[in-house]
Amino acid sequence: MDANHAPEGVITVITPTRRRPHLIGRAIESVANQCCRHVDEHVVVVDDCPSTWSWLGRELPPFVRPRFVARGPREVGGPTRAAKLRDIGTSIARTRWVAYLDDDNEWESNHLHSLLSEAIESACPAVYSWTQVFHRDGTPYLDEVNPWSHDLDSGLAEYARLRRAGVVTAGSHIYRDRLDPFDGEDAVRSVDQSAWLLETELVKRITFSNMPMRPNREEGLAEDDVFNLNLVAEGIRARSTELATLRYYLGGYSTAPEQNEPADW
């Protein structure tokens, strides 16, 4: 069976969000505009934000399922909180497959269909796309600096390493992300969470909150990077569609703290 003949509603999409209703609308529209009918529901996990919850009270596509998650007295924004929200979304998924779309990103219309086709053809429990990287204003990111590095020097060095590895090409905004199963200086594990299609039971077993390594801003290690490391440690084989169907926008974080608000990194 290929994706053209897959049953309808085999994918749950999960999106954590906080204080960004101007962006969550675009993410919802991106899911609604997928070229297939593979989506069963889009779980929008609202991170203790009444204004976003009110915004979601308007008329939405019928597959959108908002869920409000309050914060405890010691809970703050950042990767640990984002990991918890992803796990909450995954816990209520009823489908075989799950995908994660951050509230400030969007997908090309063939994103989920191409991922599901690859998953069915390869019999892999974890498949991912390549990424188009944009500035927040929608212009392509063409700087020869890794945008997720902590400072300019490390960004220049990491971009050069990724260029040698064939992940990036000067003058292009496409990142040919990888999840290398080997260790060492040449290993690349750059898949963003919004690029994945994963078997739900696999994610429920590994979980995002399982963090043997703490997220670290200076090392560019967020919760999705730790999840990638856990996939490799579990020996999970992953495949790429080699299609740049994720549109990644720089300059945001789904559960980022407000100015002067504490964060966990």
Side-chain angles (χ1 to χ4, degrees):
M1 180 180 68
D2 60 25
N4 289 316
H5 298 93
E8 295 182 4
V10 294
I11 300 173
T12 297
V13 178
I14 297 167
T15 299
T17 190
R18 175 176 169 84
R19 295 178 178 171
R20 303 205 293 189
H22 60 295
L23 293 176
I24 187 61
R26 183 181 66 186
I28 290 172
E29 183 177 0
S30 176
V31 176
N33 289 339
Q34 291 298 291
C35 68
C36 56
R37 295 183 179 179
H38 301 319
V39 176
D40 176 61
E41 60 183 359
H42 185 182
V43 180
V44 179
V45 186
V46 179
D47 182 15
D48 199 17
C49 181
S51 61
T52 301
W53 184 255
S54 297
W55 186 90
L56 288 167
R58 65 180 62 194
E59 186 175 348
L60 295 169
F63 61 83
V64 177
R65 183 182 180 188
R67 173 151 182 178
F68 189 90
V69 181
R71 289 189 179 189
R74 297 184 179 181
E75 290 187 300
V76 297
T80 301
R81 179 65 178 174
K84 178 178 180 178
L85 298 175
R86 295 191 205 279
D87 284 341
I88 289 172
T90 308
S91 71
I92 61 177
R94 303 171 297 184
T95 55
R96 177 180 176 183
W97 300 94
V98 65
Y100 302 87
L101 179 62
D102 287 348
D103 62 0
D104 57 342
N105 295 332
E106 59 182 334
W107 292 328
E108 299 290 354
S109 63
N110 64 331
H111 178 78
L112 291 178
H113 186 74
S114 59
L115 285 169
L116 187 59
S117 295
E118 182 64 36
I120 292 173
E121 181 178 342
S122 65
C124 280
V127 294
Y128 60 92
S129 72
W130 288 346
T131 303
Q132 302 174 57
V133 181
F134 297 91
H135 292 283
R136 183 179 290 184
D137 64 5
T139 57
Y141 179 80
L142 301 176
D143 297 6
E144 295 183 29
V145 181
N146 181 55
W148 301 282
S149 295
H150 180 61
D151 55 46
L152 179 60
D153 287 343
S154 60
L156 289 167
E158 179 63 7
Y159 187 92
R161 188 181 81 89
L162 293 176
R163 187 173 177 179
R164 291 193 299 270
V167 175
V168 295
T169 302
S172 173
H173 70 303
I174 292 176
Y175 280 59
R176 296 179 287 274
D177 296 310
R178 300 203 316 245
L179 188 74
D180 290 337
F182 52 84
D183 294 320
E185 294 182 0
D186 295 331
V188 176
R189 294 163 182 170
S190 57
V191 181
D192 185 82
Q193 203 58 54
S194 294
W196 281 110
L197 179 69
L198 299 150
E199 284 196 337
T200 305
E201 292 306 312
L202 170 66
V203 184
K204 287 181 178 179
R205 178 169 60 83
I206 294 179
T207 78
F208 290 95
S209 299
N210 176 21
M211 292 190 176
M213 300 177 64
R214 293 289 302 169
N216 186 305
R217 184 187 294 273
E218 292 186 6
E219 296 179 7
L221 192 68
E223 82 285 349
D224 51 354
D225 299 299
V226 177
F227 183 81
N228 287 345
L229 293 174
N230 285 338
L231 282 178
V232 173
E234 288 277 338
I236 303 301
R237 64 189 184 99
R239 290 281 296 268
S240 173
T241 62
E242 299 187 355
L243 298 173
T245 53
L246 167 60
R247 297 173 61 89
Y248 183 103
Y249 293 88
L250 296 168
Y253 196 83
S254 297
T255 61
E258 297 299 297
Q259 188 175 9
N260 300 321
E261 186 180 4
D264 69 354
W265 72 345

